[in-house]
Amino acid sequence: RAVHEVTMDDLADRRRSGSASGTNQRIAAAGGDYSTDVDPNAVGIGYIRNAFAAGATDVHIEVSHGANRTRVDARINTLIHPQLFEQAAEIGEKVVRALYNLGDAGEGTFSTTVSKTTRLSRQSVADQSGGKHMLPDGIKSCRYTSFPIQDGIGCSIRIHPVEAAGRSLQELGLAEAQEELLMELGTDGEGGLTLVAGMTGSGKTTMLKSWLEAVYRHHEGTKRFVGVQDPHEVDIVGMLSMDAAATDD
């Protein structure tokens, strides 16, 4: 593609000429295509759909008004793959706002100057878009977080796939000795803290689900399990789960 350097006056003149002629021009700027003729809901769901198809666990959106650019990256196998998409800044801000409004747990009115969180469930996306858009098959929900940055807004979307059932710890790749250690930690009755750490997208939550379900089966329903998640990501057999936000009172 050709990139043309333009001044703000040049952009203003081209926008005015487009309005005067009654046409909706697309202006090529350093940040990519500029167009107001987009459906931000469709663009945002498209980001998620394409990232998920590529095997991503996260989508990162960076809107920079100074550079007139929206950069969309994806995290695949714990590593960031840059520039999955690129758009002008105005489009990116509309998309970030639209995705927030598709959520089912939004914290009031969207703002570019305040951090916001919500959850995009299959039901909320369908309801808020009037049935025009759906999360792709294979995605259960998405965790949305937006936050102000120096010259724009950032947004992170964590993709929660439909949960796989029936996978043992060894099927997840743990050695027999590691499985034995985890079961000892979960069943010895001495209590204490077990810390599971790893990079984003490395499989911590997936491993915890398989481990805790194995511990529940070991106790044959004689123990009560309560989990606190921030936010709720996965359903764990035998565990009563609540969001961390619900513990504030």
Side-chain angles (χ1 to χ4, degrees):
R1 76 189 163 185
V3 178
H4 304 280
E5 292 188 4
V6 295
T7 67
M8 293 304 296
D9 289 338
D10 293 333
L11 289 175
D13 289 342
R14 294 182 69 174
R15 288 171 183 166
R16 281 194 295 269
S17 65
S19 299
S21 63
T23 61
N24 186 8
Q25 287 188 318
R26 296 175 61 86
I27 302 174
D33 288 336
Y34 175 93
S35 173
T36 57
D37 187 22
V38 297
D39 178 352
N41 288 332
V43 174
I45 295 298
Y47 290 166
I48 296 172
R49 177 179 294 107
N50 284 275
F52 181 65
T57 56
D58 303 83
V59 180
H60 300 287
I61 304 173
E62 178 186 331
V63 180
S64 171
H65 290 290
N68 185 25
R69 182 185 70 179
T70 296
R71 171 174 167 164
V72 183
D73 303 334
R75 186 189 301 276
I76 304 173
N77 293 329
T78 76
L79 299 178
I80 296 295
H81 290 245
Q83 293 181 301
L84 185 69
F85 295 101
E86 186 175 297
Q87 296 276 9
E90 182 177 341
I91 297 176
E93 185 167 315
K94 288 181 178 179
V95 169
V96 171
R97 184 186 299 270
L99 287 173
Y100 176 80
N101 290 330
L102 289 177
D104 63 3
E107 298 174 350
T109 305
F110 179 83
S111 172
T112 59
T113 60
V114 179
S115 296
K116 291 290 185 179
T117 62
T118 190
R119 183 177 73 109
L120 279 68
S121 66
R122 301 188 64 82
Q123 191 64 51
S124 73
V125 171
D127 290 346
Q128 299 299 336
S129 68
K132 294 181 179 179
H133 304 288
M134 290 288 295
L135 287 176
D137 292 339
I139 295 181
K140 177 182 178 181
S141 63
C142 296
R143 181 177 67 204
Y144 168 107
T145 304
S146 65
F147 44 90
I149 58 177
Q150 183 176 3
D151 64 346
I153 186 168
C155 178
S156 296
I157 300 169
R158 183 68 188 272
I159 299 173
H160 298 151
V162 175
E163 297 159 19
R167 289 189 291 178
S168 69
L169 291 169
Q170 289 191 32
E171 286 173 330
L172 294 180
L174 276 71
E176 184 176 350
Q178 293 172 316
E179 180 179 10
E180 291 175 355
L181 174 60
L182 285 173
M183 292 306 296
E184 180 181 348
L185 290 171
T187 61
D188 64 7
E190 295 182 2
L193 173 69
T194 301
L195 177 65
V196 178
M199 297 177 64
T200 301
S202 59
K204 300 183 298 296
T205 302
T206 300
M207 191 275 284
L208 282 168
K209 171 180 168 64
S210 294
W211 175 33
L212 294 174
E213 289 183 346
V215 171
Y216 175 75
R217 290 193 298 270
H218 171 85
H219 287 293
E220 298 180 338
T222 61
K223 298 286 187 180
R224 181 177 175 87
F225 292 84
V226 178
V228 180
Q229 301 186 46
D230 183 20
H232 180 88
E233 292 189 25
V234 296
D235 296 326
I236 299 175
V237 175
M239 176 172 287
L240 302 176
S241 184
M242 60 188 297
D243 287 339
T247 67
D248 291 346
D249 295 334

